[in-house]
Amino acid sequence: MAEATKIKAKNEQGYWAFVNKQFRKKKTAVFSLYIVIVLAIVAVFAPFLANEKPLVCKYKGETFFPVLKDIAVGFGIGQFQPQFQNVDWKNLPYEMVVFAPVPYLPMNQDDKCIHSVGPFDTQDVPSARWKHWFGTDELGRDVLSGMIHGTKIAMTVGIVSMLIASIIGILLGSLAGFYGDENFQVSRVRLWGNLLFLFFAFFYSFGARSYDITDALGRGLGEGFIQLGISILIFTAVMVAGNLLVIVLKKIPFLGKQVAVPFDLIIMRVIEVLNSIPTLFLILLIISIVRKPNLYVIMGIIGLTGWTGIARFIRAELLKVRNLEYIEAANSLGFSNAHILFRHAIPNALSPVLISIAFGIAGAILTESTLSFLGLGPADTVTWGQLLSYARQIPQAWWLAIFPGFAIFITVTTFNLIGDGLTDAMDPRLKQ
Amino acid sequence: MKPVEVKTEAGKTEAGKKFFFASLSFPLFGYILKRVLIFIPTLFIISLLTFILISAAPGDPAETMLNRTSGEGQAANRLATERSYVDLRHKLGLDLPIFYFAPTNLAVSDTLLRIPIKNHREMLDRLTYQYGNWAQIENYYHQLKALDIAVISTKKDSTNADTLIELRNTVAKIFIHHEDNVLSPLLADLKTQSNSAANLTEVKAHAEATEEAYIKMKSDATPWKRYVPLVQWSGTHNQYHRWLFGEAKWFGTETDPTLGKGFIRGDYGISFFTKRPVKSVIWDGLWITMLISFLVIIIEYLISIPLGISLAVRKGSAYDSSVTVGLFLTYSLPVFWIGTMAIFFLCSPDYIEIFPPFGLGDATWDDGFFYKLGDLAYHLSLPLIIASYASFAYLSRQMRGSMLTVLGQDYIRTARAKGLPENKVIWKHAFRNSLLPIITIFASFFPALIGGSIILEFLFTIPGLGQITYAAVIQKDYPMILTNTMFAAILTLVGYLISDILYAVVDPRISYSKK
């Protein structure tokens, strides 16, 4: 057993070492990886890089860290000191102060630099320290600050929406690929019974309690969660009770007959339907019925519409994997199908999915900036696409057209290059 | 390897033609028929999906269309608007259930849908949830409405003016509340208010009746009905059926022109925003999008196939590596950025002005065919370039890749070993086989173009399908969104079909006949 583990570890190491080596051969991909790391750092430290509040200040004999405090307040820990509430941070009589490199927040309007002042125009600012290096937009908001905070948005959208898409895609794709149309066998009564129980469970947990839940959510998150918890309990109870009943009913020969659930057929049809509606149309359709799209809604929509590629990828991979010897071996050792699927099949099919994820992040960032450009993106934040869209309204403001667009371009390209590098690195045809 | 000039070979077209006709045999037609038949359930599911999504949209379309604020004005006035509102809801079919069947419970009644005012519908829904006896709830609502009318139709005089205003406010509040701890005091207020002034006997009677109905509703409550699941069958009398199939007669002449014919008979409803039939708006835009997509496809394939081949043939040369990097970068350039920049720097008098920034020109076909054509070409040139460059880069890369794969095959080596000239090897042996992957791409390419039309037409203000959809989303014009999505889906499916047919035409190994 110990021997086997060692061999397995060595093989695994061998594969990743190989991928790593191949990946490092590709200079552009490695360089892109560094750019992504820089972008990630900018995203994480955005509040320290561009902020109207000082990083450190000494005020009336006391030392404060307003940016840190601001982050803590954002998390709901603590409150701002009373002397700092509703103040003009720029003009407080500090004894000592260190501002962020870009001393503006993306939503702050500089009243002296409205109507889009360019980087080379004369700017009405106290000193070069306060210069708008990338200019301002129509309302006098600093473009550089918007770009720094936009990095945060872009990276979050890319990663979170791809996470949603990956979870759905891997789950459905592996069900379709591993079980196919024949291999998932259940008794008749369990199949039809569970569909029926699902209806009842939804009915009693959510349908019949709809207003209880919404009212509780309206009163507060805590009460809402209690009500939701009760609903989930009811749901589970109905499902468990139903399945206990199934065990009894299975004794009847007609009901106990094994039938196959055609996962592949169902999931592939769903993918076909989703792919038949051009993605942007589908996204616009969903956005049109959402009252006010915020960042979470946008991420959810991109994730929910973007999983089909990953699902197809992993399905194709599992179609190959499920016929390999080790799966057969696991089968003959008596492991359950679910165990084989989650412990043996999916982990081995997962690495190629990294490629789709890399391309998917690029796509998600592009989709978000497209939506923002069209004016349908998250309304509560500044994004790259949004900044770019202002350029359409002001024909002289070239800085609004060039900088945000370039940021989108760089980010999308780096993720594409990483995907490209991974494709080459993982391509078994090169393993010679 | 010798570089090869990119040129067409004389013999190729004839061979292609012969082959094309050979493949258009019966099995292919059978296959096409089969595919088209498969489209029907797919389209059906898409229509269902989009329709249900749209039905879940917040807001009341009839209210949006009438653009009215409910519950204001004098009695006659208010009754008139309410009447027109009910008529409009009926005309739009909003008083019907959404689908053929719906999971619901014993307490809910479908009469609820016919209640004209949205706030009232919500209030009544709440009451149903609470008390579960629709008959009593309906009675209470009727009493409340009668009271409302009594209040607004009572003549004002110096003695009761203030009381009437108070009464009105109270009634308005009662209409939107369902909680017992709010309603009971309000109903008590009603009584004291109607007692406080003279000439209010009628109002007083109604107030008492309302309170009585309310108490009856409370005492006869059957909240358990909410827990009895019920699948309500509405038959063909539902919104979805009405939208898809229409209500007009299928055969013979329809006497009632107000009845719709439904989506599958080409009746797409009326736009909420422009109040024009959706059909006329869509057809105006559809041909533009089709034209642009068609031209873009031709341009892209015409450029990228020779380019990809020339790159593959000179693999490893400086030409290959530099163009490949260039193609990768162009591929990653977001269309909306390049479009914005192009409009910025190429269409503006501040910089260089060579292209018109927006629209399709003012010329009509009456100005002369060639004049219109020239105008159209002038206006379309920049959009076409912008729409083409991104996927042209992608296509060329794919073409290069597939050509390289083919050139590595044994039969190519055999052909070379035979001493065939390189030209012949490339065009006769490798070319057709290398086309397969980029034909498959067509299937994903066409939907991308249709989807991309939203951005392109937004950028250049071209009144095509994309621009119409965008405007409809902004205006929340649901019939338009629904129809546009359906058309986008139909076009996509047609694209898939074309790609399948091309596949069969190019690859002799693919046979659609049954073995």
Side-chain angles (χ1 to χ4, degrees):
Chain A
M1 196 63 199
E3 194 74 357
T5 329
K6 225 184 264 171
I7 290 171
K8 194 181 162 220
K10 201 179 162 201
N11 276 344
E12 223 151 70
Q13 192 195 10
Y15 178 69
W16 286 109
F18 168 76
V19 169
N20 192 9
K21 208 176 100 194
Q22 289 292 332
F23 188 78
R24 293 207 172 270
K25 269 191 196 159
K26 215 155 156 143
K27 291 271 160 21
T28 47
V30 177
F31 186 63
S32 304
L33 201 60
Y34 291 140
I35 294 182
V36 167
I37 292 170
V38 171
L39 285 173
I41 291 171
V42 171
V44 171
F45 292 101
F48 297 96
L49 293 172
N51 211 320
E52 56 161 358
K53 300 184 182 69
L55 296 172
V56 193
C57 66
K58 206 165 177 187
Y59 182 66
K60 292 182 183 160
E62 269 186 279
T63 312
F64 297 101
F65 299 92
V67 173
L68 276 176
K69 188 81 190 170
D70 193 30
I71 294 170
V73 171
F75 277 113
I77 330 163
Q79 264 185 333
F80 261 108
Q81 293 83 354
Q83 68 265 38
F84 286 134
Q85 272 165 11
N86 299 320
V87 289
D88 180 11
W89 290 94
K90 213 166 134 183
N91 296 323
L92 283 181
Y94 301 108
E95 284 138 39
M96 184 276 290
V97 64
V98 179
F99 276 101
V102 179
Y104 296 100
L105 270 181
M107 300 295 247
N108 282 145
Q109 300 174 3
D110 188 344
D111 297 334
K112 288 177 183 153
C113 293
I114 50 169
H115 303 313
S116 44
V117 182
F120 301 130
D121 300 344
T122 43
Q123 298 181 349
D124 186 8
V125 285
S127 68
R129 180 74 187 79
W130 300 89
K131 189 173 159 63
H132 300 282
W133 293 98
F134 280 15
T136 62
D137 69 2
E138 185 60 25
L139 297 171
R141 297 181 293 194
D142 189 71
V143 174
L144 181 54
S145 175
M147 293 203 27
I148 290 172
H149 285 263
T151 315
K152 195 172 67 187
I153 306 290
M155 296 298 262
T156 319
V157 168
I159 291 166
V160 173
S161 53
M162 243 10 233
L163 204 68
I164 299 170
S166 311
I167 291 171
I168 304 174
I170 290 174
L171 201 71
L172 294 185
S174 55
L175 280 182
F178 187 72
Y179 288 116
D181 285 339
E182 307 290 334
N183 295 347
F184 194 83
Q185 301 258 343
V186 286
S187 60
R188 239 176 221 160
V189 62
R190 197 178 287 281
L191 176 63
W192 296 111
N194 268 306
L195 290 177
L196 195 68
F197 304 145
L198 220 56
F199 170 75
F200 277 104
F202 263 111
F203 180 80
Y204 283 113
S205 57
F206 296 103
R209 293 170 45 78
S210 54
Y211 282 127
D212 286 311
I213 299 171
T214 47
D215 284 354
L217 276 171
R219 280 197 296 272
L221 222 53
E223 271 188 69
F225 277 128
I226 292 173
Q227 288 297 331
L228 274 179
I230 295 174
S231 280
I232 290 168
L233 269 180
I234 297 175
F235 188 89
T236 330
V238 173
M239 291 308 282
V240 168
N243 279 292
L244 288 176
L245 189 69
V246 163
I247 295 176
V248 182
L249 287 176
K250 243 163 84 174
K251 302 276 190 297
I252 303 168
F254 174 77
L255 294 177
K257 191 166 185 294
Q258 296 280 306
V259 285
V261 184
F263 273 127
D264 197 27
L265 188 86
I266 297 168
I267 291 167
M268 288 314 280
R269 284 296 90 75
V270 171
I271 292 178
E272 205 175 282
V273 166
L274 277 180
N275 282 353
S276 300
I277 311 174
T279 320
L280 207 52
F281 273 81
L282 187 60
I283 290 177
L284 286 198
L285 174 74
I286 301 173
I287 282 183
S288 74
I289 63 167
V290 179
R291 224 169 276 208
K292 252 196 196 139
N294 59 23
L295 193 59
Y296 301 102
V297 174
I298 298 287
M299 291 192 292
I301 294 174
I302 296 176
L304 285 178
T305 51
W307 56 268
T308 53
I310 294 177
R312 278 156 73 129
F313 214 122
I314 198 149
R315 170 181 175 270
E317 204 59 35
L318 274 178
L319 280 178
K320 270 186 275 172
V321 166
R322 75 167 181 199
N323 291 327
L324 294 181
E325 280 100 347
Y326 73 91
I327 298 291
E328 223 167 283
N331 238 328
S332 54
L333 283 172
F335 288 119
S336 72
N337 263 335
H339 177 95
I340 297 173
L341 175 63
F342 286 105
R343 292 298 303 277
H344 303 288
I346 292 184
N348 280 295
L350 219 49
S351 53
V353 172
L354 275 181
I355 301 168
S356 340
I357 290 177
F359 284 122
I361 291 176
I365 292 174
L366 200 60
T367 309
E368 184 273 318
S369 34
T370 308
L371 289 177
S372 295
F373 180 72
L374 292 173
L376 298 168
D380 45 355
T381 39
V382 172
T383 65
W384 290 340
Q386 218 178 336
L387 286 171
L388 184 56
S389 72
Y390 298 146
R392 278 170 57 80
Q393 291 140 27
I394 317 152
Q396 296 82 30
W398 54 266
W399 53 95
L400 284 173
I402 289 183
F403 298 129
F406 195 69
I408 299 168
F409 165 59
I410 288 292
T411 317
V412 171
T413 311
T414 47
F415 278 108
N416 275 338
L417 281 171
I418 290 173
D420 214 40
L422 281 173
T423 317
D424 287 352
M426 287 176 179
D427 196 337
R429 273 175 300 180
L430 295 171
K431 198 177 181 177
Q432 277 149 17
Chain B
M1 204 180 291
K2 236 173 62 187
V4 176
E5 287 288 306
V6 177
K7 61 181 179 187
T8 46
E9 205 188 329
K12 194 189 70 120
T13 41
E14 204 173 298
K17 224 184 244 170
K18 211 169 93 193
F19 184 72
F20 184 79
F21 286 119
S23 60
L24 280 185
S25 51
F26 180 71
L28 183 63
F29 280 123
Y31 174 77
I32 294 173
L33 193 70
K34 210 171 92 190
R35 282 301 303 254
V36 172
L37 286 178
I38 292 176
F39 285 174
I40 294 170
T42 310
L43 269 177
F44 177 73
I45 294 171
I46 291 172
S47 74
L48 200 66
L49 188 81
T50 43
F51 191 85
I52 288 175
L53 272 176
I54 293 284
S55 308
D60 189 333
E63 229 161 77
T64 326
M65 269 179 100
L66 278 179
N67 209 1
R68 80 200 183 93
T69 46
S70 55
E72 295 298 319
Q74 285 305 309
N77 204 343
R78 194 160 113 187
L79 287 176
T81 38
E82 208 170 292
R83 191 70 246 162
S84 62
Y85 178 67
V86 171
D87 286 347
L88 185 60
R89 273 178 67 81
H90 183 70
K91 202 175 137 204
L92 295 173
L94 292 169
D95 53 354
L96 297 176
I98 286 171
F99 198 54
Y100 295 95
F101 58 86
T104 165
N105 59 54
L106 203 56
V108 172
S109 159
D110 59 344
T111 348
L112 185 64
L113 280 169
R114 303 208 187 103
I115 306 294
I117 295 158
K118 198 175 157 233
N119 288 342
H120 296 186
R121 262 200 313 278
E122 278 163 11
M123 180 270 288
L124 288 172
D125 193 35
R126 286 285 196 156
L127 286 179
T128 317
Y129 185 81
Q130 243 168 299
Y131 300 118
N133 48 348
W134 179 252
Q136 303 302 334
I137 294 168
E138 207 176 15
N139 182 31
Y140 161 71
Y141 182 63
H142 283 314
Q143 295 297 347
L144 190 57
K145 286 211 67 147
L147 168 68
D148 186 31
I149 289 166
V151 171
I152 46 178
S153 53
T154 304
K155 279 223 177 64
K156 246 188 225 170
D157 56 41
S158 55
T159 52
N160 64 8
D162 291 346
T163 320
L164 271 179
I165 291 173
E166 271 174 33
L167 273 168
R168 253 187 223 194
N169 289 339
T170 319
V171 171
K173 269 186 212 151
I174 293 174
F175 264 123
I176 55 169
H177 278 289
H178 58 90
E179 307 93 332
D180 185 41
N181 56 358
V182 182
L183 278 179
S184 294
L186 280 175
L187 285 163
D189 282 356
L190 212 59
K191 252 164 73 185
T192 47
Q193 280 162 6
S194 56
N195 277 329
S196 65
N199 306 334
L200 289 175
T201 39
E202 200 189 337
V203 172
K204 204 173 142 190
H206 279 294
E208 272 161 11
T210 311
E211 199 183 11
E212 201 177 301
Y214 181 73
I215 291 167
K216 188 124 197 297
M217 174 175 80
K218 250 171 44 179
S219 60
D220 284 5
T222 48
W224 54 268
K225 279 189 176 174
R226 167 152 68 94
Y227 296 101
V228 181
L230 194 71
V231 176
Q232 195 170 40
W233 176 257
S234 331
T236 56
H237 216 57
N238 63 64
Q239 287 187 37
Y240 178 72
H241 187 89
R242 206 185 107 108
W243 168 73
L244 192 61
F245 300 108
E247 288 173 319
K249 267 188 225 151
W250 281 77
F251 304 106
T253 42
E254 179 58 58
T255 44
D256 186 356
T258 55
L259 292 181
K261 282 177 156 180
F263 186 88
I264 57 169
R265 282 187 280 170
D267 177 1
Y268 312 133
I270 294 167
S271 156
F272 285 171
F273 193 76
T274 57
K275 314 243 168 37
R276 277 171 65 196
V278 173
K279 191 175 182 175
S280 67
V281 184
I282 296 259
W283 285 118
D284 287 351
L286 196 63
W287 75 268
I288 297 173
T289 304
M290 291 292 289
L291 176 73
I292 293 177
S293 307
F294 185 66
L295 289 175
V296 166
I297 288 171
I298 291 181
I299 294 172
E300 279 171 352
Y301 275 82
L302 277 183
I303 297 178
S304 55
I305 292 178
L307 184 65
I309 293 176
S310 76
L311 288 175
V313 169
R314 292 177 219 189
K315 188 192 173 224
S317 66
Y319 166 72
D320 172 43
S321 46
S322 56
V323 173
T324 308
V325 171
L327 285 181
F328 195 90
L329 293 182
T330 16
Y331 166 61
S332 299
L333 286 172
V335 172
F336 57 92
W337 184 38
I338 294 305
T340 312
M341 299 267 278
I343 294 174
F344 221 87
F345 293 111
L346 299 179
C347 309
S348 139
D350 293 350
Y351 304 96
I352 313 161
E353 197 179 5
I354 30 177
F355 293 110
F358 52 78
L360 283 178
D362 306 324
T364 58
W365 294 109
D366 300 333
D367 296 342
F369 180 74
F370 288 104
Y371 179 73
K372 168 75 185 173
L373 209 63
D375 191 50
L376 206 58
Y378 174 57
H379 280 86
L380 274 181
S381 49
L382 189 60
L384 282 180
I385 295 170
I386 298 296
S388 311
Y389 83 88
S391 14
F392 131 74
Y394 181 65
L395 269 183
S396 308
R397 277 166 57 82
Q398 292 293 324
M399 187 66 206
R400 174 181 176 273
S402 75
M403 193 68 179
L404 277 179
T405 318
V406 172
L407 285 179
Q409 300 284 325
D410 287 342
Y411 62 86
I412 297 294
R413 207 178 312 152
T414 316
R416 285 198 182 122
K418 278 200 302 201
L420 279 183
E422 189 65 25
N423 242 342
K424 222 166 186 171
V425 174
I426 302 283
W427 291 108
K428 186 119 191 159
H429 294 259
F431 178 63
R432 186 181 284 162
N433 290 320
S434 68
L435 280 183
L436 285 179
I438 82 168
I439 284 173
T440 358
I441 289 172
F442 183 83
S444 60
F445 193 56
F446 198 69
L449 269 179
I450 302 292
S453 69
I454 292 178
I455 305 168
L456 191 78
E457 289 166 10
F458 172 79
L459 269 171
F460 293 96
T461 341
I462 298 169
L465 191 66
Q467 169 83 342
I468 295 173
T469 311
Y470 174 74
V473 169
I474 296 284
Q475 295 151 355
K476 309 248 172 205
D477 191 343
Y478 295 117
M480 283 302 269
I481 302 175
L482 192 56
T483 317
N484 284 354
T485 313
M486 287 301 289
F487 268 98
I490 292 170
L491 288 179
T492 307
L493 290 174
V494 171
Y496 286 161
L497 183 68
I498 294 174
S499 128
D500 279 347
I501 296 170
L502 285 177
Y503 214 77
V505 170
V506 173
D507 190 350
R509 286 168 304 182
I510 293 171
S511 147
Y512 292 112
S513 57
K514 276 196 184 131
K515 276 165 202 152

